[in-house]
Amino acid sequence: MKNAAIVTAALLFLAPFVHAQTTPPAPPPLLLGSAWYPEQWPESRWESDLTLMQQAHLHVVRVGEFAWSSLEPSEGKFDLDWLERAINLAGKHGIYTVLGTPTATPPAWLTTRYPETLRIDENGHRDEHGNRLQYNWSNPKYRELSRIIATKLAERFGHNPYVIGWQIDNEISQTSTDEGTQKQFQSWLQSRYGTLDNLNARWTTAYWSESYSDWSQIPIPKHGGVDSGNPGLLLCWREFISDTWRSYFLNQIDVIRPLSDGRQFFTTNTMGFFQYYDHYVTEAILDLAAWDDYMPDGKVDFIGNGMEHDLARGFKRKNFWVMETQPGNVNWSSVNVALAPGDERALAWHDVAHGADAVNFWQWRSARNGQEQYHGTILGADGTPLPLYPEIQQIGAEFEKLGPLLADTHVVSEVALLHSYESRWAIEWQPQSNKFDPLEEMRRYYAPLRRRVQSVDIVSPDVDLSGYKLVVAPALNLITESQAQALIAYVKGGGNLVLTPRSGMKDADNALQPERQPGPLASLLGGRVEQFYALAAPVAVNGELLQTQATTWGELLSTSAPDTKVVLRYGKANGWLDGKPAVITRRVGKGSITYIGTIFDAAAMQVLADWLLKQANVAAASLIVPDGVEASVRYGKDKAVHIIVNFSEREQTVHLPTAMIDELNQGRSIREVTLPVSGVAVLRESR
Ligand code: GAL
């Protein structure tokens, strides 16, 4: 007994030292990495893979997210040893792991023994084994089995010093229309509405005899669009989907978190503007936003891609990760063109410029067999580097070198665009003009604003907006009562709010607001939308600010307050709009509210954006770049780090407003920089 106590005391005394020896250093601040599937290869191959990764300065791998059948080959029989060996071996090469929970790919034993865990699609067909995402996200048995594998992984890896975070599932997207899900949906509705009378009233189910006398009568809308149901029902179904994804994540996080040492983050990989669930609902329970960034046609649309980055940054309102991006080409487009030489590097720096702290490729090497044999990789089927490898090495070396400079730097914006899934859905179901695309509407504002200010946030209307000087709400069709109150308070507090076509039309039940657009904001605006018109032909719009033509959508505006000013009027238009206000604005204390009732081309949008910035007192950036060149800035203590990427098709020279340190080129102090096609400059400005 006594001896045992002495040994224990000695071990306790030594523990911190043993630990200190085995604890690896913190991962570098700027990470380059790859998805890696050790389960697809003989263990004897791992060392060569990891050596090649190390030589490319890769410091992170994401593993495990499709490995359920290798981790639990039969029910209750686990084999986690191989994964531990792979993670620890990677660690020895200075490579940290993000561990994916493998629930996107249930093993065959599971779905054959528990067929109820397979989803039923909109046509009533049960999905089958052999692909992925065939599970039913609401099914209690699937959740039980997911929890078991998640617990096993957490018990083994929750304290592994090389495991820096958890990715829950992979690109969640598929839902199920089975009876069990329908019952859950009905109870969800019951807790939301309390009584059927309330639900019937708020959905106006008297329309088309849709009234319900029992909760069990309420269907799942199966085919999208108003053809498959009342707008209130459609909205609730998507909100139920979002809440069910949230509980799907929590089902795993709640068992992993208590077994983890607190250092590990929780994330999942999203798909840009994918809209079938409300990402703000799921991201609220995660620690880090991460998304998968693909260019299917091999062309770089840096504005659209930048918007997607900014969406991801807005999920947690902090730096994010690119969890996947293609090395070269994808395999799922019609013509899978590879990125041009230099584009991979240009994109990696563009990612960082928008706030990414990690860029990970999908994938390292293609499995010998499996559905994605043609997808871009870093190694060939022979296990040796492809022509892209040196470019990846260069990115890795640059990330390693400039990581310390970029550590603790962030994008800071005075301008925000509001993005609401509910509003996008409401317009998707009732487009009224197939030319009206809410994301295009967002881009129309994003591009000219960002061009001037070099950073724009994209955030939910539910966040605190008081830090922004200018907030543009493109097509904010659905406004809840609390959002309306917050927007009113924002303007009264000195903020500048801009509403665009189709704003403020619907309420939280996707019902028409009882007042004309912009509904609860009309009295603050001192004006309203008298009527809206889908336009087949362009219409003239004139004013001191602009002489131009508008397209697609025209709203006839009116003013009711003496201090609401008309900025632009329709010229000869569709008869109804002729001579009527197209843009109105009102100063409210130090703030303002503006309503833009139609859609302009890019040149007019730049004039309008400049006017909006001026109204809101937002200064344009002093570092001016030519078209096709993207300039961004990350701020840190005492410094601004400018990242300039030449996405144009020719060499470009940028004159700097002040001397800056050229961090990629021997730290020289420069006043101008010339960038080749796909060229990158990272410039430090001391402050
Ligand atoms: C992603 C997915 C990856 C891989 C990749 C190919 O959507 O998460 O597993 O399939 O696409 O582009």
Side-chain angles (χ1 to χ4, degrees), residues 37 62 65-66 132 167 170-171 269 271 292 294 324 326 329-332 362 372 375:
Y37 300 98
R62 188 198 58 192
E65 82 279 9
F66 301 125
R132 55 181 168 177
Q167 175 185 298
N170 190 81
E171 292 191 346
N269 51 343
M271 296 180 277
D292 296 348
Y294 287 101
E324 298 180 9
Q326 71 211 52
N329 60 280
V330 301
N331 68 322
W332 42 264
W362 195 94
E372 295 173 293
H375 199 282

Side-chain angles (χ1 to χ4, degrees), residues 482-673:
S482 61
Q483 288 167 354
Q485 289 318 315
L487 289 172
I488 292 168
Y490 167 70
V491 172
K492 290 193 169 158
N496 297 280
L497 174 67
V498 180
L499 301 169
T500 86
R502 306 183 76 157
S503 290
M505 186 176 187
K506 301 290 197 70
D507 71 6
D509 295 297
N510 206 5
L512 294 170
Q513 295 275 4
E515 308 152 71
R516 302 259 184 94
Q517 287 170 253
L521 300 173
S523 81
L524 185 71
L525 176 65
R528 68 177 193 179
V529 175
E530 294 298 328
Q531 180 59 301
F532 54 83
Y533 301 94
L535 302 175
V539 299
V541 176
N542 308 310
E544 266 177 42
L545 189 65
L546 269 177
Q547 311 283 323
T548 185
Q549 293 213 308
T551 53
T552 311
W553 196 266
E555 289 177 348
L556 190 172
L557 308 185
S558 68
T559 59
S560 53
D563 55 340
T564 301
K565 296 203 173 71
V566 177
V567 181
L568 294 174
R569 282 183 187 276
Y570 296 99
K572 179 84 194 97
N574 68 344
W576 300 108
L577 293 166
D578 297 5
K580 297 290 198 288
V583 176
I584 60 178
T585 190
R586 187 185 198 189
R587 286 237 155 252
V588 180
K590 289 198 172 124
S592 69
I593 175 167
T594 301
Y595 196 103
I596 297 173
T598 188
I599 294 180
F600 301 107
D601 67 15
M605 280 309 298
Q606 191 63 65
V607 177
L608 199 61
D610 289 347
W611 177 75
L612 293 172
L613 289 168
K614 195 159 161 232
Q615 288 253 107
N617 235 340
V618 180
S622 53
L623 193 163
I624 296 166
V625 291
D627 278 349
V629 176
E630 185 188 53
S632 314
V633 52
R634 284 175 60 149
Y635 293 96
K637 200 172 165 285
D638 308 325
K639 68 185 167 200
V641 182
H642 299 265
I643 300 177
I644 308 178
V645 186
N646 181 8
F647 286 111
S648 80
E649 281 169 12
R650 60 185 186 83
E651 181 182 281
Q652 300 278 5
T653 296
V654 178
H655 305 282
L656 306 175
T658 170
M660 296 187 189
I661 305 302
D662 186 354
E663 295 284 350
L664 286 173
N665 283 308
Q666 294 97 38
R668 288 179 303 131
S669 175
I670 54 169
R671 284 305 301 253
E672 71 170 36
V673 60

